[in-house]
């Protein structure tokens, strides 16, 4: 049985196929209308979400199936052993998507589950997001190979998954990440990426974006911590350190790079407001494409494609 936790068990061909499938589904959604008839997806969220929740739920509806939203705090997941709850759940549904705080808990889930488990974003990886990202780049550029993407921000879960998937698809990826987000550390993933010769790190932001095809940023502070008084001191420190790395019109004045952000956005922190709807921004396309790419993920894991 196949899960999607990260891309460690996937081949470059798997990644390319799923991107191609997502583009095909977007072009002709009616062709896939009944592909998951009578199938059910459980969606377990320990953290907040807009896109991941909406895209998976709408994807299941449009594929003829059904999705059930389970809020961690109002289910027995909060009280019981995760393995027992998953053993039960996987006898009643065909697939599970989970947004958990800790990758270690997601691994427990996937080991206990009798149906495919999809990582809806944990502290280490966000695989569904980056499938949508590469789909969007391919739509706009016609190819992925040899393109240069520059990720600017905190080295977090999205950054890990981007490094993983870009190096698998022969894209060059440069990261400008003054802060390594501790829980996201994955030495094995970074070592493997370095061996490809496609992954570079720098703090020279201007130099990095000069010849970039894509400039990508993400929030510096998790949404749920942004307004948490206990996190205020660290938030203020992060903002002070990261402000010189903001993506803005001055930085990109000579650039033809596409502008990406996985959302939610903290306007005028990691990206200046005027860039969000600038002609080169593909931010809303990449968010929309979560729907089409979630469909491709569900069809692959449920062996419908
Ligand atoms: N990018 C993303 O995963 O969005 P949500 O947090 O709203 O699901």
């Amino acid at each position: 049985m196949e899960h999607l936790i990260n891309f460690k068990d996937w081949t470059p061909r798997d990644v390319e196929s799923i991107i191609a499938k997502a583009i095909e589904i977007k072009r002709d959604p009616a062709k896939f209308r009944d592909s998951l008839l009578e199938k059910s997806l459980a969606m377990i969220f320990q953290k907040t979400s807009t896109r991941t929740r909406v895209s998976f739920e709408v994807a299941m509806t449009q594929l003829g199936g059904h999705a059930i939203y389970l809020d961690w705090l109002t289910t027995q997941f909060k009280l019981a052993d995760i393995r027992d709850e998953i053993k039960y759940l996987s006898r009643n549904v065909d697939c599970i998507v989970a947004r958990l705080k800790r990758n270690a808990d997601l691994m427990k889930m996937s080991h206990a589950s009798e149906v495919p488990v999809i990582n809806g974003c944990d502290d280490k990886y966000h695989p569904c997001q980056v499938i949508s990202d590469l789909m969007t780049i391919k739509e706009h550029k016609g190819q992925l190979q040899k393109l240069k993407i520059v990720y600017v921000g905190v080295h977090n879960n999205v950054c890990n998954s981007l490094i993983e998937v870009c190096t698998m698809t022969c894209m060059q990826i440069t990261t400008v990440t003054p802060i390594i987000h501790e829980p996201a550390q994955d030495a094995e993933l970074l070592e493997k990426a370095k061996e490809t010769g496609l992954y570079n790190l720098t703090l020279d932001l201007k130099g990095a974006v000069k010849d970039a095809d894509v400039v990508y940023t993400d929030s510096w502070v998790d949404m749920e911590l942004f307004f948490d008084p206990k996190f205020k001191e660290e938030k203020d420190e992060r903002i002070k350190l990261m402000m010189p790395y903001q993506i803005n019109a001055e930085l990109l004045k000579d650039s033809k790079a596409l502008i990406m952000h996985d959302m939610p956005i903290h306007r005028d922190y990691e990206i200046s407001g005027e860039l969000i709807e600038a002609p080169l921004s593909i931010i809303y396309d990449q968010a929309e494409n979560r729907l089409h790419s979630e469909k491709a993920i569900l069809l692959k894991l449920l062996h419908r494609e």
Side-chain angles (χ1 to χ4, degrees), residues 48-53 99 120-121 126 129 262-264 290:
T48 55
S49 166
T50 306
R51 278 143 292 274
T52 305
R53 178 179 174 179
R99 169 166 289 191
C121 188
H126 198 353
Q129 178 63 51
D262 56 302
M263 303 180 84
R290 290 293 302 273

Side-chain angles (χ1 to χ4, degrees), residues 99-166:
R99 169 166 289 191
L100 301 191
K101 291 180 185 165
R102 297 182 338 119
N103 176 263
D105 286 336
L106 195 75
M107 294 309 291
K108 277 190 203 165
M109 262 192 186
S110 64
H111 290 139
S113 179
E114 292 167 24
V115 299
V117 172
I118 300 169
N119 184 354
C121 188
D122 62 24
D123 53 344
K124 282 183 179 290
Y125 315 109
H126 198 353
C128 301
Q129 178 63 51
V130 300
I131 292 173
S132 178
D133 296 340
L134 264 56
M135 171 193 175
T136 313
I137 296 170
K138 185 149 190 190
E139 278 184 326
H140 282 268
K141 292 283 191 185
Q143 63 171 76
L144 297 174
Q145 284 79 4
K146 300 201 171 115
L147 294 180
K148 178 181 172 186
I149 181 165
V150 176
Y151 174 91
V152 187
V154 174
H155 188 125
N156 59 10
N157 42 19
V158 170
C159 181
N160 269 342
S161 292
L162 268 180
I163 292 168
E164 192 176 29
V165 86
C166 287

Side-chain angles (χ1 to χ4, degrees), residues 3 13 31 41 49 54 76 78 80 106 119 130 170 173 208 210 212 223 229 235 259 262 277 279 285 287-288 303:
H3 303 294
R13 196 187 160 93
K31 189 174 148 196
L41 171 75
S49 166
V54 170
Q76 309 300 19
K78 187 185 155 196
L106 195 75
N119 184 354
V130 300
C170 297
I173 176 158
K210 204 169 56 185
M223 227 7 140
K235 182 183 98 171
I259 299 160
D262 56 302
E277 294 188 68
D285 291 349
E288 179 203 319
H303 303 295

